[in-house]
Amino acid sequence: DAKTTQPTSMDCAEGRAANLPCNHSTISGNEYVYWYRQIHSQGPQYIIHGLKNNETNEMASLIITEDRKSSTLILPHATLRDTAVYYCIVRVNAGNMLTFGGGTRLMVKP
Amino acid sequence: DSGVTQTPKHLITATGQRVTLRCSPRSGDLSVYWYQQSLDQGLQFLIQYYNGEERAKGNILERFSAQQFPDLHSELNLSSLELGDSALYFCASSVSPDRFATNEKLFFGSGTQLSVL
């Protein structure tokens, strides 16, 4: 699996967009980018994933650069309930186990 | 609610003992995964089962074993427990329409908190 680099922590004001970056410069052509989050010792929760194109769902948007070496998860209107550790994961499209790194601890503040 | 059920939620035991953690996957999911989360190691993949067979192995100790039963529920057995085994143990499941299914979402249970005293 390609390694990912994420900032250790970030703050965001409630109601503003939270933009969480992830670098994956060694990503290969068949590797997907996945985002999960973990709210205070709960089980990790799937957010979104993509291969090349930008993706959007009811939770977030995923922007992947054209060279695929980095991506950004966007929470359009962060709430206090979005305070969590966000994991960016890149894995080969074979087998489904996830390799979690350290993630970004997002603190949404009033 | 992810639909993945783990029991018990909390388990307190002594060193040297053996415990069994249970996981019921979402209805229809064929793959089950086990993860360990400790304070110093983060989330570590232990093992995956697909439709009753071992599919992938991660950093699972020899003292640990798992199985998936015909009804697709899974059990993680931890033996000769040590203080360092204290951790949150998560189970996850995915649909896996066939053995080589990829590009899937994993759904995690709420975990079992194991405390070894």
Side-chain angles (χ1 to χ4, degrees):
Chain A
D1 292 354
K3 282 190 175 179
T4 61
T5 304
Q6 299 179 252
T8 304
S9 63
M10 292 181 62
D11 290 344
C12 177
E14 188 178 19
R16 303 296 296 269
N19 297 289
L20 291 89
C22 179
N23 286 324
H24 31 79
S25 58
T26 59
I27 193 171
S28 58
N30 61 347
E31 290 184 313
Y32 283 76
V33 180
Y34 284 77
W35 284 84
Y36 280 74
R37 73 180 182 183
Q38 187 175 24
I39 299 173
H40 186 59
S41 298
Q42 296 178 19
Q45 177 189 24
Y46 167 84
I47 301 173
I48 199 167
H49 74 284
L51 183 62
K52 296 180 182 177
N53 301 320
N54 298 337
E55 302 287 343
T56 296
N57 62 21
E58 66 279 2
M59 289 183 69
S61 295
L62 174 61
I63 308 298
I64 303 174
T65 58
E66 195 169 339
D67 62 8
R68 303 187 70 240
K69 292 185 177 182
S70 66
S71 61
T72 301
L73 178 75
I74 301 172
L75 307 178
H77 305 287
T79 70
L80 299 179
R81 287 192 299 266
D82 292 321
T83 292
V85 178
Y86 287 77
Y87 297 97
C88 169
I89 301 162
V90 175
R91 71 166 193 255
V92 176
N93 203 11
N96 290 299
M97 75 291 289
L98 303 172
T99 302
F100 288 85
T104 295
R105 186 171 298 275
L106 175 69
M107 178 75 71
V108 180
K109 298 184 174 180
Chain B
D1 182 10
S2 67
V4 178
T5 303
Q6 290 188 247
T7 56
K9 291 192 182 304
H10 303 277
L11 197 50
I12 301 174
T13 189
T15 55
Q17 295 298 305
R18 172 190 169 94
V19 296
T20 297
L21 312 183
R22 182 188 169 99
C23 170
S24 294
R26 295 186 320 153
S27 177
D29 283 2
L30 297 179
S31 278
V32 170
Y33 313 75
W34 286 97
Y35 283 82
Q36 178 193 54
Q37 185 172 34
S38 57
L39 287 175
D40 57 346
Q41 291 290 325
L43 272 159
Q44 299 285 316
F45 169 70
L46 295 178
I47 197 164
Q48 177 197 359
Y49 277 82
Y50 168 78
N51 203 19
E53 296 183 1
E54 184 182 304
R55 173 87 165 92
K57 219 168 187 176
N59 301 320
I60 188 167
L61 300 172
E62 285 191 12
R63 300 183 285 108
F64 295 0
S65 65
Q67 54 184 326
Q68 186 179 27
F69 295 86
D71 66 353
L72 300 177
H73 91 272
S74 178
E75 292 181 356
L76 179 66
N77 300 296
L78 314 176
S79 61
S80 302
L81 285 167
E82 303 175 359
L83 296 177
D85 298 327
S86 295
L88 258 172
Y89 291 83
F90 289 108
C91 168
S93 71
S94 63
V95 174
S96 298
D98 60 67
R99 189 176 187 276
F100 301 101
T102 57
N103 187 23
E104 294 191 273
K105 308 171 193 177
L106 269 62
F107 295 87
F108 285 79
S110 56
T112 293
Q113 177 69 61
L114 174 67
S115 299
V116 182
L117 305 179

